[in-house]
């Protein structure tokens, strides 16, 4: 409920801070119109080594070359700043994804196309992120690259450390990965090249 002639709106949500929503004069639609593009969140999920960062980076570069205003949120990079206080427990992983989802939503509200590359192993966390976006604004891309292929690639040597017990709670080894139930795009990077993977995502967006 909002008060007449004020920018404030009371949301149907209980907050510890008692904050009140402040409506902006410039709408999300107006920001998107200024950007001359449709804001989207493209969420890449899959095991470590499945190719998330590589494909996300190639997709971001393709957008940039074609004049599409985009931004890439990478799982490791985010943990160097925004989420540097979080570990790898199930609760911390859930909070990691929640924060990233909220940041991605703010960026789409600003009119950007946001690419998120996160293992995000749990269905409930991915569904939570999907729920905060408008219809057709969220595109889930599952990189279903087999564990054996991911482990063989071992781009950061993490699987070897996980198998040796040096790294605890490692997805695919000592922690589960829940396969997405209804992703918009499914890619096996053991079979598709980076270029073909990017094309498949672009085709889905079209």
């Amino acid at each position: 409920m909002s008060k007449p002639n004020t920018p404030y709106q009371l949301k149907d949500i209980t907050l510890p801070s008692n904050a009140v929503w402040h409506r902006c004069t410039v709408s999300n639609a107006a920001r998107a119109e200024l950007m001359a593009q449709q804001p989207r969140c493209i969420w890449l999920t899959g095991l470590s080594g499945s190719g998330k960062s590589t494909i996300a980076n190639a997709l971001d570069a393709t957008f940039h070359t074609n004049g599409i205003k985009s931004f890439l949120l990478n799982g490791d990079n985010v943990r160097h700043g925004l989420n540097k206080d979080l570990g790898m427990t199930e609760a911390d992983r859930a909070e990691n994804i929640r924060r990233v989802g909220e940041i991605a939503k703010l960026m789409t509200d600003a009119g950007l196309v946001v690419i998120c590359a996160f293992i995000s192993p749990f269905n409930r966390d991915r569904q939570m992120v999907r729920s905060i976006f408008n219809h057709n604004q969220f595109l889930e891309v599952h990189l279903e690259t087999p564990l054996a292929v991911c482990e063989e690639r071992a781009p950061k040597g993490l699987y070897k450390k996980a198998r040796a017990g040096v790294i605890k709670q490692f997805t695919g080894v000592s922690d589960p990965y829940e396969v997405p139930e209804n992703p918009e795009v499914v890619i096996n990077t053991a079979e598709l090249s980076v270029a073909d993977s990017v094309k498949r995502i672009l085709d889905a967006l079209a």
Side-chain angles (χ1 to χ4, degrees), residues 30 32 41-42 44 53 55 78 80 89 92 112 127-129 135 138-139 141 147 155 159 172 184 190:
C41 175
I42 305 166
L44 279 70
S53 296
I55 293 173
V78 167
H80 279 75
T89 65
D92 279 355
L112 293 172
Q127 287 302 116
M128 178 275 298
V129 174
H135 181 63
F138 185 86
L139 188 86
V141 180
L147 174 61
Y159 281 102
E184 282 75 15

Side-chain angles (χ1 to χ4, degrees), residues 3-187:
K3 296 181 179 180
N5 303 318
T6 74
Y8 301 108
Q9 180 180 356
L10 296 178
K11 294 279 189 175
D12 186 21
I13 181 174
T14 301
L15 300 172
S17 62
N18 296 311
V20 177
W21 187 266
H22 192 286
R23 293 179 306 213
C24 298
T25 300
V26 182
S27 68
N28 295 345
R31 297 182 195 280
E33 184 177 359
L34 187 63
M35 290 283 196
Q37 62 185 32
Q38 181 180 358
R40 302 291 287 272
C41 175
I42 305 166
W43 192 279
L44 279 70
T45 174
L47 296 171
S48 177
S50 61
K52 297 182 301 299
S53 296
T54 300
I55 293 173
N57 190 56
L59 181 62
D60 190 36
T62 300
F63 283 150
H64 184 75
T65 298
N66 288 279
I68 297 174
K69 294 84 172 177
S70 61
F71 194 85
L72 170 57
L73 292 171
N74 177 278
D76 282 350
N77 292 358
V78 167
R79 282 183 175 274
H80 279 75
L82 175 68
N83 292 345
K84 66 181 180 180
D85 60 318
L86 299 177
M88 298 302 289
T89 65
E90 186 172 336
D92 279 355
R93 286 183 168 188
E95 176 61 12
N96 180 55
I97 297 307
R98 187 196 69 81
R99 292 183 193 177
V100 171
E102 293 291 350
I103 292 297
K105 181 62 168 62
L106 291 174
M107 288 184 166
T108 58
D109 286 350
L112 293 172
V113 174
V114 187
I115 308 164
C116 300
F118 291 80
I119 292 175
S120 44
F122 300 112
N123 274 315
R124 67 172 185 271
D125 297 332
R126 296 191 300 266
Q127 287 302 116
M128 178 275 298
V129 174
R130 180 188 288 272
S131 71
I132 67 177
F133 288 90
N134 297 330
H135 181 63
N136 289 332
Q137 198 175 41
F138 185 86
L139 188 86
E140 186 176 32
V141 180
H142 175 215
L143 301 190
E144 63 169 4
T145 309
L147 174 61
V149 174
C150 295
E151 194 162 354
E152 183 179 353
R153 290 173 178 173
K156 293 171 278 190
L158 300 180
Y159 281 102
K160 183 177 181 180
K161 293 180 180 179
R163 294 291 184 191
V166 176
I167 298 178
K168 309 295 183 182
Q169 300 171 306
F170 191 80
T171 302
V173 177
S174 52
D175 263 14
Y177 177 81
E178 297 176 359
V179 176
E181 297 172 352
N182 293 294
E184 282 75 15
V185 181
V186 177
I187 297 172

